[in-house]
Structure formats: C-alpha cells, structure tokens
Amino acid sequence: MVLTYSALILVLNIVLYKFSIGPSFFKVTFSFFPLALSGYLFGPWWSSILALFSNILCFTIFGSGSFHPLFLMTALLSGFISGLFLYRKNVNLVSVIITQLLLMVPLSLFLNSWFIALVYGIDYHFVFLGRLWRNVGLIPIQIIMVYLLIKAFEKRKLLAQNKFR
C-alpha cells in the first residue's frame, strides 16, 4: 500500500513539476503539493526518500538545469521538514505556516540560491534577490493551498483507513 501511494505521489510530482513558469533558477511549480502530501502521509524519513527520487526523476526525464548532489541535499531536507511538521499531527494553520516558512526561507531562498550561484557561476545577490520576490509571492499561496489540501483529506477521511496513517 505504501509503495502504491508513493508511486502515485512521485507521478503527481513529476506531472506538476512539468507545469512550471520561469527559468530554472526562478522556477515556480506546483510540486509543493506532493511534498506536503508525502510528509502528511509517510513522515520525515519516507518523505525524504520520495523527495530525493522525485528530484532525480524530474532531472532525468526533463533534463532541466544541472544535476548536482547539492540539490539532492535540499530535496532530502524538504521531505524531512514536511514530514516532521505534518505527519501524525492534528494539522492546523500554524503547523502549515511553520512548515512552509522553513521550506521557503532557509531552504529555498538561502540554501538553494547559494547552490544555484555555485553551480551556475552566477552572482549570489542576483539569484537571491530574484528568488526573494518569487518566495515572498509564493509563501502565502503555498500556505493556503497546502492547508486546504490537508484539511480536505482530513474532512473526507480519505486516508483514515490506511495503515500508514
């Protein structure tokens, strides 16, 4: 059952990754949905593994950007944070806000901006400022959408009968 849901989440992530806006270092995608869902369903460790596989598969299938192990570290941390704050908890707006802020500020804004500057040889300040505006715009959108997604799953008890929950 876990592998089936994991495969579905990976496919969903790949499909949502394909529908993106902007160049590779300022890309806006909807892949935060599967990340939140995997953290909610599977916890930090399995969600980390799914985020790692998702990163590898998206690069392999679409070939966007440069493949670098530094980005895998960020993917692992993203999955871990999502699982840490969303798994087996009564998810409320505060937990979603904390999760999204941790994902968007230290990981996406600072760490990924630094990795992009290193890998592509671009000035860090240029990357940081561009991603700052992207993240400021995305944080409230992601908070609202992730909160509504999880609450919809909880309200309809779609996953209550599954053993991994």
Side-chain angles (χ1 to χ4, degrees), residues 27-40:
K27 186 176 289 193
V28 175
T29 71
F30 292 99
S31 60
F32 60 90
F33 274 129
L35 181 66
L37 192 57
S38 69
Y40 175 72

Side-chain angles (χ1 to χ4, degrees), residues 46-143:
W46 194 251
S47 183
S48 297
I49 292 168
L50 286 177
L52 176 79
F53 282 134
S54 173
N55 192 296
I56 292 169
L57 287 172
C58 285
F59 175 77
T60 304
I61 293 169
F62 303 121
S64 61
S66 297
F67 182 78
H68 201 281
L70 292 173
F71 297 119
L72 296 179
M73 184 176 70
T74 312
L76 280 169
L77 289 171
S78 296
F80 188 82
I81 288 171
S82 290
L84 191 65
F85 287 96
L86 301 177
Y87 183 62
R88 295 193 186 222
K89 302 211 176 9
N90 184 11
V91 176
N92 56 32
L93 191 56
V94 173
S95 62
V96 173
I97 289 171
I98 291 170
T99 304
Q100 293 306 310
L101 285 176
L102 286 173
L103 291 174
M104 296 299 283
V105 177
L107 290 185
S108 179
L109 185 59
F110 288 104
L111 203 57
N112 260 355
S113 295
W114 181 44
F115 292 162
I116 289 168
L118 286 174
V119 171
Y120 290 103
I122 302 171
D123 181 45
Y124 173 77
H125 296 98
F126 171 74
V127 175
F128 178 83
L129 289 175
R131 291 173 61 86
L132 174 68
W133 296 114
R134 169 194 169 270
N135 285 9
V136 165
L138 283 178
I139 287 173
I141 294 168
Q142 287 188 200
I143 288 170

